[in-house]
Amino acid sequence: MLKNTVLFAVAGMLAMGAPGKSTLTGGSWRVDTRHSDAQLITDATTDYGKTKVDVTLGFGRVNGRVALDNDDLAKTSFDFRIYPANSMAPDIDEDGKFLSQWLASLPNHTLVCFHSKGAVRTADGRLQTTGNLVLTRVDRNVDATPNEAYAGPVYGPPMIHHLSHEATFVFDFPAADRKGQKDDSIVASGSTRMFRENYPQLVKAVVSTYWPPVVQDENCEAQAGVSEDYRGSQCTGTLLEAHGLPEAPQAGNAEDVGSARNFNAVVGNHLNILVHLRLMARTQEESTAAGN
């Protein structure tokens, strides 16, 4: 079975080196979607194939829940979803259910989920859990053959792809002193790498999906009154967007026109997912509604 390893470290520790032994903070937590994200990275080439590089495909939103039990790790569970940022919640369900109008937007078509129950401690004090990494993808064939009666592309019926592979995640949590953490939240980050030969459907789906920019903690306020300077709502927040591959050189003469198309190329042999999470303490009402 396919096994992928993900290391989640307290935010900031990745830059400082290997994280120290962590202390599990028990309780029921929800992923704060407004302050959580997943960065999606794959391999590519530039300078006409001479240089191998990694390129960020885009950022996705993350939501879900985590239940941590210090006394009985078998009761610990992880459930989270990664999806395009065109909405605050996934527009398709894990089983492929959707509303027809959702298909008007291409980003709606991809959903990546992870589900696990139970965990064990590793030798260095981290938390290891094994579960299912699930891909849900909605595709449609399109006929855009030009003819005398052509009135735009014609889309076929939706085709739902649902695939699952076993995956193992290893998590780090804040140290016992929880410096820099709020009483009701935990900030964590981590990464995973998977290869096309092991999970080709997932790598292909993520590479071919359009991932809109993520705006964390977005806040929009409409301007009062109408004047010549009126520009609509004013929004603030933290923008996360992919910068893409290096810019191709400008054509020097007619013979060079078109050659810049081959300057960059996405290869897609592997996929790296960097996840940044803020876990918020769940209320009693939220836990009861979720069946926890």
Side-chain angles (χ1 to χ4, degrees):
M1 293 185 178
L2 173 66
K3 291 188 177 181
N4 300 308
T5 299
V6 180
L7 300 179
F8 279 74
V10 179
M13 284 189 175
L14 293 178
M16 297 166 56
K21 185 175 180 179
S22 60
T23 299
L24 182 65
T25 304
S28 185
W29 306 83
R30 64 175 175 83
V31 178
D32 180 5
T33 306
R34 289 174 58 85
H35 299 92
S36 301
D37 67 87
Q39 184 179 359
L40 307 160
I41 302 170
T42 193
D43 54 312
T45 62
T46 188
D47 194 14
Y48 305 103
K50 298 176 184 177
T51 305
K52 295 181 179 180
V53 296
D54 283 341
V55 59
T56 297
L57 298 167
F59 292 83
R61 293 195 189 278
V62 184
N63 73 1
R65 58 188 179 85
V66 177
L68 306 174
D69 194 312
N70 252 326
D71 299 322
D72 186 358
L73 291 179
K75 296 180 180 178
T76 291
S77 64
F78 294 84
D79 292 281
F80 59 83
R81 289 157 290 279
I82 300 171
Y83 54 96
N86 54 300
S87 64
M88 291 301 295
D91 283 334
I92 60 174
D93 293 336
E94 188 171 339
D95 59 5
K97 293 181 181 178
F98 58 88
L99 298 177
S100 58
Q101 58 265 33
W102 292 346
L103 293 180
S105 175
L106 287 177
N108 294 340
H109 297 181
T110 302
L111 177 67
V112 179
C113 305
F114 177 73
H115 308 291
S116 74
K117 290 185 178 180
V120 296
R121 281 287 187 187
T122 62
D124 58 359
R126 293 168 178 164
L127 197 66
Q128 177 176 297
T129 182
T130 298
N132 294 320
L133 190 63
V134 182
L135 167 68
T136 302
R137 171 82 179 180
V138 181
D139 290 315
R140 290 186 297 171
N141 292 325
V142 57
D143 183 2
T145 305
N147 53 54
E148 294 182 357
Y150 182 74
V154 178
Y155 293 93
M159 297 178 293
I160 300 171
H161 308 279
H162 188 80
L163 299 155
S164 178
H165 283 271
E166 184 179 81
T168 298
F169 289 75
V170 179
F171 293 84
D172 275 302
F173 287 89
D177 57 15
R178 298 187 65 193
K179 290 182 178 180
Q181 305 289 331
K182 296 181 179 180
D183 291 339
D184 59 349
S185 69
I186 302 174
V187 177
S189 63
S191 65
T192 184
R193 167 176 284 203
M194 50 201 69
F195 296 90
R196 184 166 58 183
E197 60 264 29
N198 294 328
Y199 203 163
Q201 301 91 344
L202 177 64
V203 177
K204 180 180 179 181
V206 172
V207 169
S208 61
T209 294
Y210 168 61
W211 299 92
V214 171
V215 180
Q216 291 186 340
D217 200 21
E218 183 176 10
N219 182 34
C220 296
E221 295 182 0
Q223 289 184 332
V226 178
S227 66
E228 294 181 357
D229 296 329
Y230 181 74
R231 298 181 180 179
S233 299
Q234 299 296 308
C235 299
T236 60
T238 301
L239 178 66
L240 303 176
E241 63 180 343
H243 296 293
L245 287 160
E247 184 177 353
Q250 299 296 320
N253 52 57
E255 295 180 356
D256 294 332
V257 174
S259 64
R261 297 178 184 176
N262 302 320
F263 185 78
N264 296 317
V266 174
V267 178
N269 281 328
H270 69 254
L271 175 68
N272 297 345
I273 303 177
L274 309 181
V275 184
H276 308 91
L277 304 177
R278 177 184 288 182
L279 301 179
M280 305 295 294
R282 302 173 76 193
T283 64
Q284 183 63 42
E285 290 76 10
E286 289 176 326
S287 299
T288 301
N292 293 330

